[in-house]
């Protein structure tokens, strides 16, 4: 008999039909003679209720079934007696494919903390929360490709191993096959000419520089790949391994770049609202419960659905960095408190609390800040006429702060060389990037959208470690 998925059965299963279902047991309850088994196969949030009567299923089999076991059930669909379900399955035959001993299985049907679930990340897909998050993550992956594909952007694969640090922040993971106990040394320095690639290499922090090469021949491209940063930030918004979406558009300026980021984000979140209703409703209730346990001042300003609509339905406010600093200098986040990090003044980088203040309290709109001081941004951003600011932009969201970072690129060879010299970036390392300015240069712009920050926002999860299956963070690379 052909196996059916629970999602399909609950949507269109016909009473009287005989079906085979293979899935994992969420709970088993009942009396001596009848057992009710809630089954879930990950295809949807809902469980399928199996009714196992001692008349058809032996006691020996029923005794082997516990939370976490995997079973194959053959049976007839019947109209559900319980509420909220269309059909249930009256079992004729059950095979136990894999047992889960109740004294050992860590995922018992009760409330577990997110911290505990991270320790059993190999099993947490089996919870409602993580299966819902991963279904939305999947939906967003396809929505991203669909967005760009349908607008004529080409998807480009950029290298994971590179010899450059695109952001120039020195937060790279080294790639080597040296025996670290016996590294070749020449003139007192590590001799990388002996290394696998014959040079120093690292995991990429961004596909942008290579993406620019493609855009300057093919017009509109995007990358969607893993990126790696060895920044020692133990926050709820940082991962050491995360996925980034980076469109790059030839002939675009910063305004067009802002337009693209706003349209992309609004389209993606609308798509989640329209297509992921069940999972959203579940995650929304879950978040409400979580919020109740928080102190008033730590609570999120909006419910999950409100925050999705906040982006889908509001235009993004565009403000220059300089205007934002003026606003922040004259504001207090609330009556009692000052900002934890005082605004140091023009030139300082904004902290997440400042970004969130601008979005949540001041403008009550998603915000795009642009024209940042050159000293706090990467070398490749286009210098403005004032000589002090660059054509950078950050998109700021409630609860998250920065979700997108981008810029119009410096397309003028001499200006780019000047910025690299100021920032001590050797020209030899990026000769190919400079070549792009020598041969057929043109204005172009792009940005990076942190995929996990997007999933975090779309699911309302408090910690970014809970929106990627196996998070990599300082002191943690289990699984
Ligand atoms: O602002 P960032 O560093 O920009 C770049 O990497 C550019 N090369 C992008 C471009 O112009 N093509 O990173 C872009 C986004 C951030 O806005 C944030 O959403 C996310 O990547 N991000 C992180 N997400 C999770 N963990 C981290 N450690 C992150 N660092 C950045
Ligand atoms: Mg940034």
């Amino acid at each position: 008999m052909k196996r059916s998925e629970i999602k399909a059965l609950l949507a269109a299963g016909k009473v009287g039909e005989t079906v085979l279902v293979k899935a994992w047991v969420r709970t088993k309850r009942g009396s001596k003679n009848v057992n009710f088994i809630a089954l879930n196969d990950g295809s949807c949030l809902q469980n399928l209720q199996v009714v196992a009567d001692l008349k058809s299923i032996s006691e020996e089999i029923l005794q082997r079934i516990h939370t976490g076991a995997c079973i194959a059930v053959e049976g007839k669909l019947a109209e559900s007696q319980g509420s909220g379900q269309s059909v249930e399955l009256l079992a004729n035959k059950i095979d136990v494919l894999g047992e889960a001993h109740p004294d050992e299985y860590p995922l018992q049907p009760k409330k577990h903390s997110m911290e505990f679930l991270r320790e059993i990340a190999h099993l947490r897909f089996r919870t409602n929360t993580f299966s819902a998050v991963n279904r939305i993550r999947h939906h967003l992956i396809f929505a991203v490709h669909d967005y760009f594909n349908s607008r004529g952007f080409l998807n480009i694969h950029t290298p994971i191993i590179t010899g450059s640090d695109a952001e120039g922040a020195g937060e790279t993971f080294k790639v080597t096959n040296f025996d670290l106990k016996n590294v070749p040394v020449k003139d007192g320095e590590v001799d990388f000419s002996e290394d696998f690639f014959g040079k120093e290499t690292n995991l990429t922090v961004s596909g942008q520089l290579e993406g620019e090469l493609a855009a300057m021949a093919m017009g509109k491209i995007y990358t969607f790949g893993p990126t790696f940063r060895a920044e020692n930030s133990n926050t709820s918004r940082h991962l050491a391994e995360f996925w980034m979406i980076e469109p790059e558009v030839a002939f675009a300026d910063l305004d067009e770049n802002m337009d693209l980021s706003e349209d992309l984000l609004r389209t993606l979140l609308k798509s989640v609202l329209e297509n992921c209703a069940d999972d959203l409703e579940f995650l929304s209730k879950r978040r409400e419960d979580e919020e109740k346990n928080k102190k008033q001042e730590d609570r999120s300003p909006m419910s999950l659905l409100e925050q999705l609509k906040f982006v889908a339905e509001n235009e993004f406010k565009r403000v220059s960095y300089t205007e934002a600093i003026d606003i922040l200098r004259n504001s207090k986040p609330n009556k009692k408190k000052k900002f934890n990090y005082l605004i140091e003044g023009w030139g300082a980088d904004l902290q997440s609390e400042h970004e969130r203040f601008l979005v949540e309290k001041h403008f009550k709109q998603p915000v795009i800040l642009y024209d940042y001081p050159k000293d706090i941004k990467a070398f490749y951003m286009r210098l403005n006429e004032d000589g002090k600011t660059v054509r950078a932009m950050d998109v700021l969201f409630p609860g998250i702060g920065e979700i997108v970072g981008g810029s119009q690129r410096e397309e003028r060879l001499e200006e780019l060389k000047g910025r690299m010299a100021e920032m001590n970036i050797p020209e030899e390392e990026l000769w190919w990037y400079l070549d792009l300015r020598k041969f057929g240069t043109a204005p172009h712009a792009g940005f990076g959208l942190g995929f996990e920050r997007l999933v975090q926002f779309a699911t309302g999860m408090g910690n970014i470690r809970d929106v990627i299956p196996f998070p990599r963070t300082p002191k943690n690379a289990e699984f």
Side-chain angles (χ1 to χ4, degrees):
M1 191 183 306
K2 217 174 126 236
R3 185 174 64 87
S4 305
E5 279 183 359
I6 291 175
K7 184 178 180 180
L9 289 184
L10 292 178
K14 289 192 188 68
V15 169
E17 206 179 336
T18 302
V19 298
L20 168 66
V21 174
K22 296 182 184 182
W24 290 266
V25 174
R26 284 291 173 82
T27 57
K28 187 184 86 169
R29 60 191 175 81
S31 62
K32 222 177 94 202
N33 296 324
V34 196
N35 276 250
F36 300 98
I37 303 165
L39 276 190
N40 191 287
D41 65 1
S43 60
C44 63
L45 189 69
Q46 284 75 31
N47 298 327
L48 176 67
Q49 166 144 296
V50 171
V51 184
D53 196 313
L54 263 188
K55 279 181 230 148
S56 354
I57 309 295
S58 75
E59 199 168 351
E60 186 265 321
I61 291 277
L62 287 177
Q63 274 171 358
R64 293 170 58 204
I65 299 175
H66 300 284
T67 294
C70 187
I71 62 175
V73 187
E74 240 179 75
K76 210 172 240 177
L77 291 180
E79 200 163 320
S80 176
Q81 308 298 310
S83 63
Q85 292 219 334
S86 45
V87 287
E88 58 188 25
L89 185 58
L90 308 180
N92 297 327
K93 182 173 177 237
I94 298 183
D95 284 331
V96 179
L97 302 180
E99 292 183 36
H101 198 287
D103 294 342
E104 288 177 43
Y105 188 61
L107 204 59
Q108 292 302 321
K110 59 167 192 168
K111 220 172 166 53
H112 294 291
S113 73
M114 289 293 118
E115 289 76 13
F116 173 71
L117 291 175
R118 266 170 236 151
E119 288 168 19
I120 55 161
H122 58 310
L123 296 171
R124 67 179 181 167
F125 287 115
R126 298 182 184 185
T127 62
N128 284 337
T129 301
F130 287 94
S131 54
V133 166
N134 281 291
R135 278 188 297 267
I136 292 180
R137 187 179 165 106
H138 165 86
H139 179 81
L140 278 168
I141 292 169
F142 272 79
V144 166
H145 285 298
D146 185 49
Y147 179 91
F148 287 115
N149 182 49
S150 65
R151 286 162 180 79
F153 284 68
L154 295 184
N155 184 205
I156 299 291
H157 287 155
T158 49
I160 290 170
I161 301 173
T162 75
S164 55
D165 174 1
E167 292 307 296
E171 289 162 340
T172 60
F173 290 100
K174 305 285 171 263
V175 174
T176 176
N177 74 338
F178 277 155
D179 171 0
L180 293 184
K181 293 191 193 90
N182 186 18
V183 173
V185 175
K186 200 170 157 192
D187 305 331
E189 302 235 348
V190 176
D191 183 7
F192 285 103
S193 68
E194 300 262 320
D195 204 351
F196 188 90
F197 295 107
K199 62 184 284 194
E200 220 177 323
T201 51
N202 52 270
L203 295 177
T204 186
V205 297
S206 156
Q208 176 197 323
L209 303 191
E210 292 89 353
E212 281 185 51
L213 309 181
M216 291 306 286
M218 323 205 47
K220 294 186 287 189
I221 65 95
Y222 71 106
T223 71
F224 190 166
T227 50
F228 308 86
R229 293 193 186 177
E231 47 186 340
N232 202 0
S233 308
N234 252 311
T235 79
S236 60
R237 300 178 326 280
H238 286 89
L239 291 165
E241 174 179 300
F242 61 99
W243 291 70
M244 212 194 313
I245 297 142
E246 297 182 272
E248 189 73 32
V249 181
F251 318 118
D253 62 12
L254 191 69
D255 289 325
E256 290 167 271
N257 206 30
M258 291 194 238
D259 292 343
L260 181 66
S261 68
E262 176 168 345
D263 188 56
L264 171 67
L265 286 164
R266 293 177 67 184
T267 305
L268 293 176
L269 294 171
K270 258 185 226 155
S271 169
V272 170
L273 277 167
E274 283 163 14
N275 294 287
C276 306
D278 285 358
D279 287 326
L280 273 187
E281 191 189 311
F282 171 80
L283 290 170
S284 178
K285 285 208 189 92
R286 182 193 164 274
R287 178 154 121 148
E288 262 168 47
D289 291 343
E290 214 170 52
E291 292 289 303
K292 280 183 204 141
N293 300 325
K294 287 188 188 164
K295 280 188 269 167
Q296 186 73 35
E297 69 226 47
D298 295 333
R299 287 193 191 151
S300 306
M302 286 170 250
S303 73
L304 175 55
L305 294 183
E306 278 167 354
Q307 78 176 28
L308 292 181
K309 289 181 187 153
F310 180 82
V311 173
E313 292 168 8
N314 272 317
E315 269 180 24
F316 294 11
K317 178 77 188 174
R318 300 179 186 190
V319 203
S320 74
Y321 166 92
T322 304
E323 290 168 89
I325 288 289
D326 277 345
I327 293 166
L328 288 165
R329 275 216 198 104
N330 297 317
S331 313
K332 277 181 171 185
N334 63 45
K335 280 195 206 85
K336 277 180 277 174
K337 221 168 79 177
K338 282 195 180 154
F339 286 115
N340 288 335
Y341 296 85
L342 281 176
I343 291 289
E344 290 159 43
W346 199 94
D349 212 351
L350 299 186
Q351 302 296 326
S352 172
E353 61 168 347
H354 304 130
E355 299 175 337
R356 291 185 50 185
F357 174 83
L358 291 170
V359 175
E360 294 164 19
K361 303 259 166 63
H362 190 82
F363 291 111
K364 300 188 167 64
Q365 266 171 288
V367 171
I368 308 182
L369 289 190
Y370 62 88
D371 284 352
Y372 279 75
K374 63 175 183 177
D375 294 334
I376 56 171
K377 290 291 180 190
F379 71 94
Y380 51 69
M381 300 187 181
R382 194 179 202 282
L383 195 62
N384 278 314
E385 299 291 291
D386 62 12
K388 290 194 310 188
T389 59
V390 285
R391 298 247 79 190
M393 60 166 225
D394 277 7
V395 180
L396 313 180
F397 267 19
I400 301 257
E402 178 192 338
I403 191 159
V404 160
S407 60
Q408 183 175 333
R409 318 308 187 186
E410 183 56 83
E411 86 282 15
R412 301 164 297 182
L413 182 63
E414 289 313 312
E415 278 78 356
L416 183 59
K417 280 185 176 171
R419 289 294 294 139
M420 286 171 68
E422 273 174 34
M423 296 173 83
N424 296 316
I425 298 168
E427 285 184 21
E428 309 84 74
E429 222 172 75
L430 291 173
W431 61 272
W432 43 272
Y433 191 71
L434 289 166
D435 257 10
L436 206 68
R437 278 73 187 166
K438 260 195 248 165
F439 307 126
T441 193
H444 58 289
F447 60 82
L449 164 60
F451 186 59
E452 282 73 21
R453 292 207 185 157
L454 175 69
V455 180
Q456 203 184 348
F457 186 78
T459 57
M461 298 297 286
N463 196 311
I464 198 164
R465 293 159 204 219
D466 300 328
V467 301
I468 186 165
F470 303 105
R472 268 75 183 103
T473 50
K475 301 276 176 287
N476 173 46
E478 196 63 55
F479 308 106

